[in-house]
Amino acid sequence: MGRVDDKHVVITGGARGMGAAFARRLAAEGARVTIADVLVEPGRAVAAEIGDAALFLPLDVTDEGDWTTVIATAEARFGPVSGLVNNAGIVHVDPIEKLSEADYRRVVDVNQVGVFLGMKAVIGSMRRAGVGSIVNISSTGGLIGYADILGYVASKWAVRGMTKTAAQELAADNIRVNSVHPGIVATEMTAASDRSRSIAATQPIARPATPEELANLVLFLISDESSYSTGAEFVADGGFTTQ
């Protein structure tokens, strides 16, 4: 028996990095996974690697029509959705005085509006499933501030608050909503960053996390093992925010 044998989970940003690790881990524990991303070929490759328990669908998380199509198509393939991991995210680096409105809005649209649209789109399917767990990937940037990434920090603080509001609204439908706050994770987004490496070096656990370590946390939150947790913040940062 797997830990999520009865689950159908949609994962945004699932074509690489943490999202791909989430898909592999959940599928290994019995879930059917719908991988959704704007990166079509990498997404198809991850789904093909996983096999019959995986489906890839293209998704722009900022497009409400795309969300409607993805949830309907995924449900037709694997049945009602019982898990959603809002993982898609981007970052733009610039000090405030050089940050353009367009770049700020682009980050907020993906990281914040995308989470809103995902939660909204999946509620009906989760009601049909009779149970749901939504995991919103925030960041330590949703707990503290970082210079030069204002849009990212603003969006990740928003995800933290949106999670708490959704948890209150959806509990009556047996839908739980929690946020995950990674620190530095060794992915394509951070691997080449000197800043990321220098931050990780200051932590009590002085290294980046692996995507698989975050996948274990997401697995717990999607599974019924976390059945009494909602509206909560789960921090996986090597102890960075304890300093």
Side-chain angles (χ1 to χ4, degrees):
M1 287 287 290
R3 293 165 65 187
V4 286
D5 276 345
D6 57 343
K7 308 298 184 185
H8 171 200
V9 186
V10 174
I11 303 159
T12 71
R16 63 182 185 180
M18 290 196 302
F22 300 160
R24 293 184 183 106
R25 187 74 179 95
L26 288 162
E29 288 290 343
R32 294 149 295 160
V33 294
T34 296
I35 297 163
D37 207 309
V38 293
L39 301 175
V40 174
E41 292 309 317
R44 286 176 175 162
V46 174
E49 172 197 331
I50 292 170
D52 291 343
L55 168 69
F56 172 78
L57 294 172
L59 171 67
D60 174 355
V61 296
T62 70
D63 186 317
E64 188 165 13
D66 266 16
W67 270 109
T68 300
T69 298
V70 163
I71 298 304
T73 305
E75 184 167 336
R77 172 72 175 271
F78 289 136
V81 177
S82 51
L84 170 65
V85 185
N86 276 313
N87 170 69
I90 60 173
V91 64
H92 180 88
V93 181
D94 256 330
I96 296 169
E97 63 182 342
K98 294 183 178 180
L99 180 63
S100 72
E101 180 182 350
D103 285 331
Y104 177 86
R105 288 184 181 275
R106 181 170 60 92
V107 172
V108 169
D109 278 349
V110 173
N111 295 4
Q112 178 181 339
V113 178
V115 169
F116 155 64
L117 292 176
M119 291 194 294
K120 181 180 178 182
V122 83
I123 291 170
S125 194
M126 287 186 170
R127 283 177 177 151
R128 288 187 287 277
V131 65
S133 175
I134 298 173
V135 180
N136 293 327
I137 305 300
S138 180
S139 167
T140 53
L143 301 170
I144 60 176
Y146 291 97
D148 299 331
I149 51 171
L150 180 71
Y152 183 84
V153 169
S155 67
K156 294 303 187 178
W157 276 78
V159 167
R160 178 185 175 196
M162 292 159 62
T163 296
K164 294 182 183 299
T165 293
Q168 292 184 21
E169 291 188 16
L170 300 177
D173 292 306
N174 200 26
I175 299 170
R176 299 181 295 108
V177 191
N178 292 287
S179 59
V180 170
H181 298 259
I184 303 301
V185 184
T187 67
E188 291 88 343
M189 185 182 291
T190 63
S193 168
D194 291 337
R195 181 181 185 182
S196 295
R197 287 193 293 269
S198 65
I199 290 172
T202 70
Q203 299 168 177
I205 300 175
R207 61 168 177 81
T210 67
E212 291 72 24
E213 287 174 308
L214 270 295
N216 287 331
L217 178 54
V218 168
L219 170 63
F220 168 72
L221 291 173
I222 291 293
S223 79
D224 295 337
E225 296 164 15
S226 56
S227 59
Y228 199 57
S229 295
T230 197
E233 300 151 4
F234 290 80
V235 182
D237 69 349
F240 179 76
T241 53
T242 66
Q243 302 174 104

